[in-house]
Amino acid sequence: MNGYSDSHSEQAVRPSGGPSGGTEAGEVGVAQQAWTLLFSLLHTHMRNFPALAAEFELSPVQAHVLRQLGEEALAMSTLANYLSCDASNVTGLVDRLEARGLVERRSSEQDRRVKMLVLTEAGAALRGRLMARMFEPPEFVTAMPEEDQVALRDIMRRALKTQ
């Protein structure tokens, strides 16, 4: 299956109740079609995220935390905002990652009351493997002709530059 079936594309470009932007009833503009298809593609791909996290014996939220942590320390309150959850939820989440030896809490140099999260050596190694797996292109991308891959890459680069 190539992911580009006509029926899927037809459903994706005709969302119910959305603004049309097209010239005929039920039609949508090209920008909305492109965005709807991209969103659908990413949503479909992200359904695999729980299985990917499980490969590393992580919950999906734990995998998101490791993805968010990088070279620099991150305040637990910042992580709570990123995850759109209460700080008490982050405490339990960090407790489990800390018990596995993947992160450690440190007091902020600016404010000792603020707890910063830092990856341990083991956490950084696991994060590296996780990120490598996350960024493996799916089959539908690798199956595209190289000229389509180049065009897709260039379009995505231009889109990201406007952000």
Side-chain angles (χ1 to χ4, degrees):
M1 183 168 151
N2 64 11
Y4 298 106
S5 70
D6 290 336
S7 64
H8 181 54
S9 296
E10 185 68 23
Q11 290 172 351
V13 298
R14 294 190 188 275
S16 62
S20 74
T23 57
E24 296 180 22
E27 249 184 59
V28 295
V30 174
Q32 186 176 357
Q33 290 176 28
W35 177 246
T36 301
L37 290 167
L38 180 60
F39 188 85
S40 178
L41 181 66
L42 292 174
H43 188 292
T44 299
H45 186 65
M46 287 309 294
R47 286 186 198 146
N48 300 325
F49 191 72
L52 174 66
E55 288 178 29
F56 299 93
E57 298 178 6
L58 297 167
S59 71
V61 176
Q62 289 173 326
H64 279 298
V65 170
L66 290 182
R67 182 179 174 272
Q68 191 68 20
L69 292 172
E71 301 290 320
E72 297 182 25
L74 182 68
M76 287 183 61
S77 59
T78 302
L79 181 59
N81 287 336
Y82 168 71
L83 296 174
S84 299
C85 68
D86 190 73
S88 63
N89 292 344
V90 171
T91 299
L93 180 62
V94 171
D95 285 347
R96 290 184 291 281
L97 290 170
E98 197 171 37
R100 284 190 58 187
L102 301 175
V103 300
E104 62 182 40
R105 292 176 177 100
R106 295 184 184 161
S107 294
S108 169
E109 293 178 10
Q110 290 77 26
D111 184 345
R112 308 284 294 165
R113 297 170 296 175
V114 174
K115 295 299 178 194
M116 305 297 288
L117 298 176
V118 180
L119 287 173
T120 62
E121 190 174 313
L126 182 65
R127 181 185 186 274
R129 292 193 313 272
L130 174 67
M131 297 300 283
R133 281 284 287 121
M134 284 178 64
F135 293 123
E136 286 177 5
E139 188 275 330
F140 71 85
V141 173
T142 59
M144 289 178 175
E146 186 174 357
E147 67 184 38
D148 288 351
Q149 291 176 22
V150 169
L152 180 61
R153 180 202 62 201
D154 293 347
I155 291 167
M156 293 296 106
R157 279 184 179 162
R158 284 194 308 270
L160 285 171
K161 283 182 183 178
T162 65
Q163 296 299 305

